[in-house]
Amino acid sequence: MVVAGFARGGISLFDAAIVHAQAAAHLLASALDAPQHGLRHYLHTHYTNDPALNPFRPSLYRWSFFDVAILTPYFLVMIILSFYGLHRYQLVWTYYRHRKKAALAAPSEYAESELPFVTVQLPIFNEQYVIDRLVEACCALEYPRDRFEIQVLDDSTDESTEVARAIVERFAAAGEPIYYLHRTNRYGYKAGALDEGLKTAKGELIAIFDADFVPPPDWLRKVVDHFKENGIGMVQTRWTHLNRDYSLLTQIEAILLDGHFVLEHGGRSRSGVFFNFNGTAGMWRRVAIDEAGGWQHDTLTEDTDLSYRAQIAGWRFKYLQDVECPAELPIEMTAFKTQQARWAKGLIQTSKKILPQVLKSNAGWHTKLEAFYHLTANISYPLMIVLSTLLMPAMIIRFYQGWWQMLFIDVPLFAASTFSVSSFYLVSQKELYPKTWFKALLYMPFVMALGIGLTITNTRAVLEALVGYKTAFARTPKYRVQKKSDKKQGVKYRKRLGMVPLVELAVGCYFALTIWYAWSRENYFTIPFLVLFVLGYWYTGLMSLLQGRFESLMGRANLDESSPKPFPVGV
């Protein structure tokens, strides 16, 4: 009876299925009488304008309330995602339009006697496998030792404290200006540690490096000179990758980060709008931190929070694309999810806190619009969940609406929301690797699939931010693995994976069903795109299980639910 009610004014979804079955039987009988095959026959029978031959003819379909209820949110979500996709195109255009404004060498240099005092802060938490590499690299920085100090800010709760203390004592005994600060609580997490370090820091400038970074010896001198320009509050340098070639996952991560650092940072910094400090491999003017209100820990992206507050206060930022700082990429799916979840949740938290201030500020409309796109970009993850849920019923309904709607509605929306992803990351590879960038074409399907596969976990993170649910700062574990021959360590830093990988596998199965439906209805053009959904969800789900579940079954993984170490809440 409900189905009959939906059918007023046309056939319902149920009736459409019956008509479709009758049409399929008719086509089968016709095929037996006239065994024509090949692409020409398929196109002629499916996309001809001859109503007698076209099973997609609009006259077969009549609107119903149920169909409108499905297609309205479906197209609304598609349109919203398309706007964010068009923004990617706009970032590429901005990057090239303002190419001449890229920050290269500093306009003037400090004389040796004028060099400002620099404090290098190293916030660490349970980093026993990489702390020696970090400290050694920072002690090798080329800078006068009487104008330079290193703070090891250790919040560790395991044997990393003994490891870090011993390393600091060894380098201090060798004459390096380094000292060790350990907190007995993690109040404020990383932001709290940085703020605690500022209480004793002597530097006019503050450089920050996370535990997985290895700054080159000339990094300080390449960055410091830019602060001779008045009004510069922060200088960010580009991340590069120590273990890019370790696996397919690290290759994809590298491409994702390259897109961010080349086109997002490059486009925003060149056009003079707000952009953010990335939490590491950057340098701050101490007074800019103070005037912006200092480090605050009410979001998980304290770096973006402080960045926007400082720029609203009038400080200018610089991005040095040609100054590199190598870092280690996560080698496990659960670690990668931890990182992406923190960023997704933190940006939404920051948007709730900072976006109203940006909109009320004296910044130009272009700056405000760019800030909106930047801080709200992760809202696309829950929208993808809605789109995924509606995809199958929308395919069934629209089977009878005519192919011309696919051409003039679906294709432009899909190009705006999806093709922009591949073009965005391909351009970044072309900028960094002009002679070998075309090799990235092989990774584009996997880049898009991984982005889709993160939807479940990142949606959870975004929803937690929207409802104000607080969670601990989940660190990304570092194993000091740069090549295949390196032994993977730190199994104890893993955490129970929960139901998320199983949900991802189930969603992948749902999209496998949509592929079957599309194939059975000879809707072949949608299948390549549906394969990306299956590949993405199955890849993230299986990799999460294979890289963590077996160890937990053998009793080697960290199963303490109160642990602040990686958990897959979801770039």
Side-chain angles (χ1 to χ4, degrees):
M1 298 300 293
V2 175
V3 172
F6 284 153
R8 293 178 183 175
I11 64 174
S12 69
L13 181 62
F14 178 73
D15 296 328
I18 296 176
V19 173
H20 177 269
Q22 295 171 342
H26 176 71
L27 288 175
L28 179 60
S30 300
L32 293 175
D33 293 335
Q36 299 163 311
H37 303 285
L39 179 62
R40 178 179 296 180
H41 175 70
Y42 172 79
L43 294 174
H44 178 65
T45 57
H46 288 72
Y47 300 101
T48 180
N49 289 324
D50 183 357
L53 297 175
N54 183 10
F56 293 95
R57 58 188 181 274
S59 60
L60 185 65
Y61 177 80
R62 295 294 183 272
W63 283 100
S64 71
F65 172 78
F66 177 80
D67 298 351
V68 172
I70 293 293
L71 293 182
T72 298
Y74 174 80
F75 280 113
L76 180 61
V77 168
M78 283 285 286
I79 291 171
I80 295 173
L81 291 176
S82 297
F83 275 108
Y84 283 98
L86 291 172
H87 175 250
R88 296 190 194 97
Y89 289 124
Q90 188 266 335
L91 279 174
V92 175
W93 177 76
T94 300
Y95 176 83
Y96 284 114
R97 181 191 180 194
H98 299 282
R99 179 186 289 273
K100 295 182 179 179
K101 298 180 181 180
L104 300 173
S108 59
E109 297 182 0
Y110 284 106
E112 191 76 15
S113 60
E114 298 176 338
L115 285 171
F117 199 98
V118 176
T119 296
V120 177
Q121 292 187 320
L122 311 178
I124 64 173
F125 174 69
N126 296 347
E127 317 282 7
Q128 58 180 304
Y129 303 111
V130 294
I131 182 61
D132 59 328
R133 182 180 65 185
L134 172 66
V135 171
E136 182 177 354
C138 290
C139 287
L141 289 169
E142 298 167 352
Y143 207 78
R145 284 329 190 231
D146 61 338
R147 310 292 299 162
F148 171 67
E149 69 175 355
I150 302 173
Q151 294 179 333
V152 177
L153 308 174
D154 189 9
D155 281 359
S156 297
T157 56
D158 64 1
E159 57 268 31
S160 298
T161 56
E162 289 78 16
V163 174
R165 192 187 303 273
I167 293 170
V168 170
E169 290 175 353
R170 174 160 57 89
F171 279 96
E176 296 294 342
I178 184 172
Y179 61 97
Y180 178 79
L181 294 174
H182 180 256
R183 297 196 305 168
T184 57
N185 63 77
R186 291 192 71 201
Y187 177 75
Y189 304 108
K190 181 181 176 180
L194 294 172
D195 188 57
E196 187 71 21
L198 287 178
K199 295 178 181 178
T200 56
K202 297 184 291 184
E204 174 187 343
L205 303 177
I206 310 293
I208 301 172
F209 298 102
D210 283 348
D212 50 337
F213 280 73
V214 186
D218 60 351
W219 190 91
L220 277 182
R221 288 308 309 263
K222 286 183 176 180
V223 175
V224 163
D225 288 331
H226 289 272
F227 285 90
K228 195 170 185 181
E229 184 179 349
N230 291 330
I232 298 298
M234 190 280 299
V235 174
Q236 176 68 53
T237 62
R238 181 168 61 87
W239 299 4
T240 54
H241 321 293
L242 293 169
N243 56 339
R244 183 187 188 110
D245 297 325
Y246 179 81
S247 66
L248 174 63
L249 178 60
T250 56
Q251 287 278 7
I252 297 172
E253 291 171 352
I255 292 173
L256 292 172
L257 285 172
D258 288 344
H260 170 71
F261 277 94
V262 173
L263 294 177
E264 291 193 66
H265 272 359
R268 289 172 181 144
S269 62
R270 293 177 181 186
S271 61
V273 301
F274 293 170
F275 71 99
N276 63 293
F277 169 56
N278 289 102
T280 178
M283 183 180 290
W284 281 86
R285 196 186 296 272
R286 169 68 182 270
V287 66
I289 297 176
D290 294 337
E291 289 187 2
W295 293 105
Q296 298 175 9
H297 59 270
D298 51 349
T299 74
L300 292 179
T301 48
E302 71 292 323
D303 42 18
T304 303
D305 174 25
L306 178 60
S307 297
Y308 272 86
R309 285 188 278 116
Q311 289 170 106
I312 291 173
W315 290 98
R316 292 184 293 115
F317 286 10
K318 271 193 175 184
Y319 170 59
L320 307 181
Q321 184 166 306
D322 293 335
V323 179
E324 302 176 356
C325 190
E328 180 181 323
L329 293 163
I331 62 171
E332 294 187 337
M333 184 62 71
T334 51
F336 178 60
K337 286 179 176 180
T338 301
Q339 181 190 72
Q340 296 300 306
R342 188 174 69 247
W343 293 349
K345 183 172 183 176
L347 277 180
I348 296 298
Q349 290 175 327
T350 302
S351 70
K352 292 172 60 180
K353 174 183 177 180
I354 295 297
L355 199 53
Q357 300 179 35
V358 174
L359 298 178
K360 293 177 184 177
S361 70
N362 295 324
W365 71 269
H366 185 211
T367 297
K368 294 178 180 179
L369 181 62
E370 187 61 39
F372 173 83
Y373 274 116
H374 179 203
L375 295 177
T376 64
N378 288 300
I379 204 69
S380 61
Y381 288 108
L383 292 179
M384 281 291 293
I385 294 291
V386 176
L387 187 68
S388 300
T389 304
L390 297 176
L391 185 59
M392 174 70 90
M395 285 180 63
I396 297 174
I397 293 169
R398 304 194 65 223
F399 182 80
Y400 293 94
Q401 292 185 358
W403 68 270
W404 62 272
Q405 294 195 28
M406 276 283 243
L407 181 63
F408 294 106
I409 300 178
D410 294 61
V411 172
L413 290 176
F414 192 85
S417 59
T418 304
F419 290 160
S420 62
V421 175
S422 56
S423 62
F424 183 85
Y425 292 110
L426 280 174
V427 169
S428 69
Q429 296 306 292
K430 187 175 185 298
E431 284 296 292
L432 294 178
Y433 312 105
K435 295 182 179 180
T436 60
W437 68 271
F438 56 88
K439 295 180 181 179
L441 285 168
L442 298 175
Y443 292 100
M444 283 304 107
F446 300 100
V447 169
M448 297 172 67
L450 182 60
I452 293 169
L454 292 172
T455 299
I456 301 294
T457 47
N458 278 8
T459 294
R460 173 179 172 179
V462 168
L463 294 179
E464 287 179 349
L466 290 174
V467 302
Y469 180 73
K470 299 288 186 179
T471 53
F473 185 101
R475 65 179 282 277
T476 306
K478 296 95 180 177
Y479 299 139
R480 196 168 184 166
V481 174
Q482 298 179 209
K483 54 185 183 298
K484 289 289 187 181
S485 58
D486 291 342
K487 182 180 179 181
K488 188 164 62 178
Q489 310 175 87
V491 173
K492 68 174 184 175
Y493 286 149
R494 296 196 188 116
K495 192 180 178 182
R496 181 176 294 156
L497 299 172
M499 295 295 294
V500 173
L502 299 179
V503 173
E504 290 167 343
L505 293 176
V507 175
C509 292
Y510 170 77
F511 278 100
L513 180 62
T514 65
I515 292 177
W516 170 83
Y517 177 81
W519 182 271
S520 67
R521 301 303 181 260
E522 299 183 342
N523 190 2
Y524 302 128
F525 296 122
T526 63
I527 291 177
F529 308 112
L530 295 173
V531 168
L532 293 177
F533 283 79
V534 176
L535 181 63
Y537 285 116
W538 282 356
Y539 178 60
T540 54
L542 286 173
M543 291 295 287
S544 297
L545 291 173
L546 292 174
Q547 293 178 346
R549 182 65 68 184
F550 294 162
E551 289 84 353
S552 67
L553 291 174
M554 292 185 289
R556 291 187 292 164
N558 177 18
L559 303 182
D560 180 7
E561 286 298 324
S562 64
S563 170
K565 302 181 181 70
F567 82 108
V569 294
V571 137

